[in-house]
Amino acid sequence: MEQVNYYLINMEFLVILLFSSSSSSSSMAATIKHFKWHVEYKHWSPDGVEGTVLAINGRFPGPTIRARAGDTINVELTNKLTTEGLVIHWHGIPQIGTPWADGTASISQCPINAGETFVYRFKVPKAGTYFYHGHYGMQRSAGLYGSLIVDVAEGETEPFRYDGEFNLLLSDWWHKSSHDQDLDLSSAPMRWIGEPQSLLINGRGQFNCSLAAHFSKARISPCSFRGGEQYAPYILHVRPNMTYRLRLASTTALSALNFAIGEHKLVVVEGDGNYLKPFSVDNMDIYSGETYSVLFTTNQNPSQNYFISITVRGREPKTPPALTLLNYDDDHRHPTRPPPVAPRWDDYDASIAFSNKILALEGSPKPPSHYHRRIVLLNTQNLIDGYTKWAINNVSLVLPTTPYLGSIKYGIPNAFDPKGPPDRFGDEEGYDITRPAPIQTAVYGSGVYVLRFNTTVDVVLQNANVLKANVSEIHPWHLHGHDFWVLGYGAGKFRDVDEAGFNLRNPPLRNTAVVYPYGWTALRFVADNPGAWAFHCHIEPHLHMGMGTVFVEGARRVRIPTPVAAEALACGLTGKWLMSHNPGHH
Ligand code: C2O
Ligand code: CU
């Protein structure tokens, strides 16, 4: 009997294996990578101060997934939390043909209940630097994240050479728990969570001390390179005259960051899993939701060590830089030069100049020359019944109980607002983006933008003033299920004539793009991936306060496998509906 089962399982495995390798264009060697994860809260000291983190298999950050382009990832995820649901989103992975595996609560699936297991199974079609993170409530802020790195398929090569590689996952950390932060943000009046206590590199930071204390005029105590096991800095050990690839991914909850290595140039070659036209800089910005690969060459004095520094941009920093070492030397000797100096936090010209250097590598896919629909999205902060919210074209997103993917696929009535949000913010001529939004104009909403399958969509994100006078913030917008071309950035209010300045020649493909204060950003993508896809500001508190929307395309083409339908789409439905439709009996 056991023997029979054994063969059955192997037969199934073989069939899947054959199917997946034959459907992969890149290689015969595509495989399935199996992971078994459990998620639980753990006591942890990310910056030397003990708090709680969401740990995967007892680790923070979660384990790094490494695969090759064309591989299938199979993660069997068990929720060991006692009173909370859970999902994990695979940031930057397009989920072509598997929209139910996108890991977005209320959009692609129900939260996995406490004690239950859900299997994420999806392909990683393209080499690049990615990451994964919680996408329910503020679970990303609680530390539910890790790296996902996809190498080129067997036999293929990257368009650049390097001798070694490092991977840095960047995040920010509060001593207040994510549950307290959630309550603060959802209270009336809202209590702002403030700036993070620490910045983390691979989950490691240093609270209230500095590795460069002896260079600093401010009185701050020195910390050691050999701190505790959980927060000792991650040091990059290098050899002279080599070229290294450094992968950077930012999963910060709030902070925009600037990255630099003392005395070393950075050559940017990849962004969000797409090759870029290489360019060289002394320091670079990275926003939450973005990833990069940069090359650097160890051509400096090999008897010295150098600081690697990460600083806050775009908000007046109350958080000290995160520092670690580029270590040529065997011992962790202190650099003789101070950490590299980042641009001033509010030097937006430097940031815009950096953004404008980012162009696609020659030979990259080009955008269609025309669009079918343009959606202009005004980003405002509003008050709704005393609650501070963010709104997009005056609609502050409230997610429904039943995930869009299921309710649309199965035609469940009243699962969300039937009326989609508007393509324009209304008062195009009269709206003054330099002033706070007029009182009581925004409403709550759960409607979606339904995009015609295979059409080209332009989205113009329009920034504006927050509720406080003379303040406009940075918002990194992230799209699920697609890459988009970043056609351009502009200052002030977008006008139709600005279209003439769009870059259609070599715009970069990204999945995240920043909108600068009082400015606009124009994106173009093709709605060719059947599913329901989140599009939102990647700042966790902003999304939590409604700063997002949902695109639905090709919903009728989605074929949800029976077990997934039952386990992942049936929350919020009445028993009666389930009995009469029984989408997933098994
Ligand atoms: Cu990395 Cu919807 O986010
Ligand atoms: Cu935002």
Side-chain angles (χ1 to χ4, degrees):
M1 194 58 202
E2 265 177 48
Q3 196 67 7
V4 173
N5 275 332
Y6 176 76
Y7 278 115
L8 275 175
I9 289 163
N10 274 284
M11 277 303 289
E12 186 196 29
F13 183 77
L14 262 178
V15 168
I16 292 162
L17 194 70
L18 287 173
F19 176 74
S20 83
S21 43
S22 64
S23 64
S24 155
S25 56
S26 46
S27 153
M28 294 287 290
T31 56
I32 306 179
K33 302 256 173 186
H34 287 271
F35 301 88
K36 232 182 150 117
W37 287 359
H38 65 271
V39 175
E40 65 196 325
Y41 280 104
K42 269 193 90 103
H43 294 119
W44 205 273
S45 306
D47 63 355
V49 177
E50 192 180 80
T52 52
V53 298
L54 276 172
I56 300 176
N57 293 357
R59 286 159 61 182
F60 166 76
T64 296
I65 292 182
R66 188 124 203 171
R68 283 186 180 277
D71 283 354
T72 295
I73 306 292
N74 191 100
V75 179
E76 209 180 305
L77 183 70
T78 300
N79 177 358
K80 295 267 190 172
L81 308 177
T82 45
T83 59
E84 241 179 286
L86 182 76
V87 295
I88 290 186
H89 166 59
W90 316 93
H91 181 113
I93 305 302
Q95 302 291 355
I96 296 159
T98 52
W100 52 83
D102 195 39
T104 41
S106 288
I107 301 170
S108 66
Q109 72 174 108
C110 305
I112 306 161
N113 284 322
E116 292 183 355
T117 298
F118 180 84
V119 179
Y120 288 101
R121 191 187 184 89
F122 56 89
K123 271 198 161 210
V124 288
K126 198 153 50 86
T129 308
Y130 307 98
F131 61 103
Y132 61 82
H133 60 80
H135 213 298
Y136 182 41
M138 292 186 71
Q139 289 180 341
R140 178 159 59 95
S141 293
L144 185 54
Y145 44 72
S147 296
L148 199 175
I149 294 173
V150 182
D151 290 305
V152 291
E154 195 98 54
E156 314 241 317
T157 49
E158 305 269 13
F160 41 83
R161 290 184 45 89
Y162 51 98
D163 307 304
E165 180 181 321
F166 296 99
N167 177 43
L168 304 184
L169 183 62
L170 313 178
S171 57
D172 44 7
W173 185 251
W174 280 255
H175 290 163
K176 200 173 235 197
S177 79
S178 64
H179 292 114
D180 286 351
Q181 294 181 40
D182 177 347
L183 174 61
D184 283 356
L185 297 169
S186 334
S187 296
M190 186 260 286
R191 298 191 195 175
W192 177 239
I193 60 168
E195 300 302 309
Q197 272 67 57
S198 303
L199 301 177
L200 309 181
I201 302 172
N202 290 345
R204 295 153 177 276
Q206 311 266 340
F207 177 62
N208 214 10
C209 65
S210 172
L211 291 172
H214 54 297
F215 292 111
S216 155
K217 280 183 220 98
R219 223 179 290 146
I220 182 152
S221 51
C223 40
S224 141
F225 287 116
R226 304 177 202 267
E229 200 194 313
Q230 293 176 348
Y231 57 91
Y234 173 89
I235 291 170
L236 286 70
H237 294 274
V238 293
R239 291 194 287 136
N241 298 313
M242 304 277 244
T243 296
Y244 292 90
R245 176 183 194 166
L246 182 61
R247 296 177 186 269
L248 296 171
S250 173
T251 181
T252 55
L254 176 67
S255 313
L257 302 174
N258 184 266
F259 175 87
I261 307 178
E263 331 296 326
H264 291 72
K265 292 259 179 217
L266 308 170
V267 179
V268 184
V269 292
E270 180 226 330
D272 298 354
N274 294 292
Y275 295 124
L276 301 175
K277 187 172 162 195
F279 63 98
S280 171
V281 286
D282 292 319
N283 64 74
M284 60 186 286
D285 292 330
I286 178 165
Y287 300 98
S288 180
E290 291 187 329
T291 71
Y292 287 101
S293 285
V294 299
L295 305 177
F296 67 90
T297 300
T298 45
N299 53 8
Q300 296 300 305
N301 181 350
S303 60
Q304 299 282 324
N305 292 329
Y306 301 87
F307 274 117
I308 293 175
S309 143
I310 293 149
T311 43
V312 174
R313 300 281 280 126
R315 307 182 67 88
E316 194 165 353
K318 302 206 169 60
T319 315
L323 296 174
T324 188
L325 269 193
L326 185 70
N327 194 93
Y328 283 71
D329 211 334
D330 278 341
D331 91 270
H332 300 162
R333 200 187 312 187
H334 254 90
T336 51
R337 302 262 220 119
V341 186
R344 246 187 81 100
W345 70 270
D346 56 354
D347 183 354
Y348 294 112
D349 290 343
S351 298
I352 294 166
F354 176 73
S355 290
N356 284 325
K357 287 186 180 151
I358 302 172
L359 300 167
L361 181 68
E362 210 167 311
S364 303
K366 282 193 194 246
S369 53
H370 292 91
Y371 62 90
H372 298 99
R373 178 174 176 186
R374 177 188 287 157
I375 301 172
V376 183
L377 299 176
L378 176 68
N379 293 212
T380 54
Q381 197 181 40
N382 301 76
L383 267 186
I384 306 181
D385 303 329
Y387 294 91
T388 303
K389 295 289 165 187
W390 289 90
I392 304 309
N393 287 356
N394 287 322
V395 180
S396 184
L397 179 65
V398 180
L399 291 168
T401 317
T402 303
Y404 293 107
L405 193 61
S407 57
I408 292 169
K409 173 75 195 169
Y410 297 109
I412 296 158
N414 306 319
F416 59 90
D417 294 346
K419 191 166 162 282
D423 280 17
R424 294 280 183 278
F425 48 91
D427 185 13
E428 315 317 296
E429 298 291 298
Y431 191 87
D432 186 351
I433 62 158
T434 65
R435 286 174 202 282
I439 298 301
Q440 293 296 353
T441 44
V443 293
Y444 293 120
S446 61
V448 301
Y449 289 96
V450 178
L451 309 177
R452 278 193 64 160
F453 190 62
N454 262 334
T455 56
T456 300
V457 179
D458 275 16
V459 174
V460 178
L461 292 157
Q462 176 67 61
N463 210 341
N465 205 97
V466 303
L467 283 172
K468 199 170 140 200
N470 301 316
V471 179
S472 182
E473 295 183 1
I474 279 181
H475 305 286
W477 276 77
H478 170 62
L479 177 59
H480 290 225
H482 312 74
D483 287 336
F484 47 65
W485 288 275
V486 184
L487 301 184
Y489 305 89
K493 203 148 76 168
F494 178 80
R495 298 154 306 153
D496 285 333
V497 293
D498 289 322
E499 187 185 334
F502 284 177
N503 174 13
L504 299 180
R505 211 173 56 79
N506 58 356
L509 270 169
R510 304 295 300 262
N511 61 52
T512 305
V514 62
V515 187
Y516 287 108
Y518 301 113
W520 54 264
T521 299
L523 316 172
R524 178 168 295 180
F525 68 96
V526 180
D528 57 0
N529 190 9
W533 307 108
F535 180 50
H536 62 88
C537 175
H538 211 263
I539 291 177
E540 184 96 317
H542 290 183
L543 171 59
H544 200 59
M545 295 156 85
M547 196 168 209
T549 190
V550 176
F551 294 140
V552 175
E553 69 214 41
R556 254 172 299 160
R557 292 165 197 259
V558 176
R559 297 272 170 273
I560 304 175
T562 294
V564 178
E567 289 171 35
L569 301 172
C571 44
L573 299 183
T574 64
K576 202 164 140 230
W577 189 92
L578 273 178
M579 300 265 280
S580 60
H581 288 73
N582 202 10
H585 103 276
H586 69 297

